[in-house]
Amino acid sequence: MPLRFTLRQLEYFVAVGEAGSIAKAAEQVNVSPPSISASIAQLEAEFGVQLFVRKHSHGLSLTAGGRVFLKEAARLLNDADALHDIAGDITEKVRGPLAIGCLLTFAQIVLPALRRKFEDAYPDVRVRQFERNQGQLLEMLQRGEIDAALTYDLELSQDMTFEPLLQLPAYVMLPAGHSLAGRSGITPEELVDEPMVLLDLPFSREYFLSAFQQRGLRPNIAERTGDIAVMRSMVGNGFGYGIANMRPLHNMSPDGKPLVFVPLSGDLRPLTMGVALPNADHRTQTVQAFIDHCRHFVEQQGVFGTERAAG
């Protein structure tokens, strides 16, 4: 007797299993909670297994059988995605699912417009996006949870390929009226006694601090935050200076305070923004189309104030 279930039902089940909540899963897959509940009930009835223990105060917990079922369902969905890739390559069409990660520090500036234009150009592609820090993006790439990541060339392993897009030199962010705001460049020595608002993210913080460490200096870290928008507002309100590589599109903090951006002088290498992806003998049409789209987007957008990376 043929099984009466759909890949969509499996997708809903996996979303709930990973989120631990029907409400959270519904937000992720953009489907109503009752539809997800009905799909899970149909799967349980079809296979004759209980997948979840339902707890009124703690949401859902996978049963022992449910955990095994989740692993195999996720594998089956990955295999189905691979069929989309194969079909796209055979027909030379860009189609199917595409999971994209983006670095938190510039996701708000780059990702929405880039994704909008990509989906307009390739309506048969279903994009899922994930905004994460560098460490999380690298782990997701290694686990195969995303197809590619728009990020910096920081701590990339040998099993990854990196397609460069932009070189982004570091700059110092200052509140308007700061004594150094009128400079054409600022050295780490001139900043060492000033209070610093550090963008405290994995790999990023080590990069920023290396500007001082390679000169035998220790910056005066007054504040730390993992949110670049918060850093901009703290700088705008006089808590200290910040260092970053991507400028916002205007010289204002999120809460409306004026900011000044001055290049950081010294030996700190520019970061390169690009697309990171796992090494593979074959690259699908959809992934290649995304890389080509990113390159075209960066060349045409003209809002970053930086030169395009060679290669």
Side-chain angles (χ1 to χ4, degrees):
M1 181 181 296
L3 295 175
R4 294 180 294 275
F5 70 95
T6 66
L7 291 177
R8 187 70 67 196
Q9 290 171 339
L10 290 183
E11 180 185 355
Y12 296 164
F13 162 67
V14 170
V16 175
E18 293 177 346
S21 163
I22 288 179
K24 291 180 181 179
E27 292 179 0
Q28 293 175 2
V29 299
N30 196 29
V31 174
S32 69
S35 296
I36 292 182
S37 295
S39 291
I40 292 174
Q42 290 167 3
L43 285 176
E44 290 180 323
E46 174 64 28
F47 288 96
V49 297
Q50 183 178 358
L51 300 173
F52 292 100
V53 175
R54 291 156 176 82
K55 301 178 181 179
H56 293 294
S57 58
H58 301 288
L60 300 178
S61 297
L62 284 164
T63 63
R67 288 191 292 272
V68 175
F69 198 89
L70 176 65
K71 180 179 179 180
E72 293 303 314
R75 183 186 61 79
L76 182 58
L77 289 173
N78 286 334
D79 289 344
D81 287 346
L83 288 177
H84 277 287
D85 294 338
I86 293 171
D89 289 345
I90 292 172
T91 61
E92 297 186 348
K93 291 183 178 179
V94 178
R95 56 183 296 181
L98 182 67
I100 297 298
C102 187
L103 194 64
L104 278 168
T105 51
F106 56 71
Q108 59 184 307
I109 299 174
V110 178
L111 188 56
L114 184 148
R115 178 182 169 183
R116 177 73 279 156
K117 291 184 177 181
F118 181 77
E119 291 188 359
D120 288 346
Y122 301 103
D124 292 332
V125 178
R126 303 191 310 277
V127 177
R128 290 185 297 152
Q129 69 181 54
F130 303 87
E131 307 89 42
R132 300 289 190 271
N133 65 47
Q134 182 75 347
Q136 292 168 329
L137 289 177
L138 298 183
E139 290 176 359
M140 293 178 76
L141 283 170
Q142 290 172 337
R143 293 195 298 261
E145 295 174 358
I146 54 177
D147 298 301
L150 193 62
T151 188
Y152 290 141
D153 58 338
L154 282 174
E155 301 298 326
L156 300 176
S157 62
Q158 294 183 346
D159 59 352
M160 294 184 190
T161 299
F162 187 75
E163 298 283 348
L165 299 174
L166 281 174
Q167 286 187 347
L168 299 165
Y171 63 85
V172 181
M173 183 189 312
L174 298 164
H178 193 281
S179 60
L180 297 174
R183 302 288 298 277
S184 59
I186 302 175
T187 66
E189 285 83 359
E190 293 172 300
L191 293 171
V192 70
D193 294 325
E194 297 282 338
M196 179 186 192
V197 182
L198 176 65
L199 184 60
D200 195 5
L201 291 170
F203 304 125
S204 295
R205 60 174 167 262
E206 289 81 8
Y207 167 79
F208 296 130
L209 293 176
S210 70
F212 300 90
Q213 293 166 346
Q214 63 192 10
R215 294 178 174 229
L217 303 173
R218 175 179 290 185
N220 175 21
I221 301 173
E223 303 287 344
R224 297 172 181 261
T225 177
D227 188 320
I228 193 168
V230 173
M231 184 187 77
R232 289 172 183 148
S233 289
M234 294 189 75
V235 170
N237 283 278
F239 287 95
Y241 70 91
I243 300 178
N245 290 78
M246 180 164 289
R247 295 181 52 166
L249 302 184
H250 52 74
N251 294 344
M252 302 290 287
S253 67
D255 62 348
K257 303 296 191 301
L259 299 171
V260 176
F261 304 92
V262 181
L264 179 65
S265 302
D267 303 323
L268 187 65
R269 73 172 181 89
L271 289 181
T272 299
M273 185 183 80
V275 181
L277 58 161
N279 289 337
D281 295 332
H282 174 71
R283 187 175 295 175
T284 68
Q285 295 274 352
T286 302
V287 169
Q288 186 59 54
F290 178 75
I291 294 171
D292 294 341
H293 175 79
C294 289
R295 198 175 304 282
H296 179 75
F297 177 87
V298 167
E299 290 173 348
Q300 298 298 317
Q301 192 75 2
V303 297
F304 305 119
T306 53
E307 60 180 334
R308 183 166 58 92

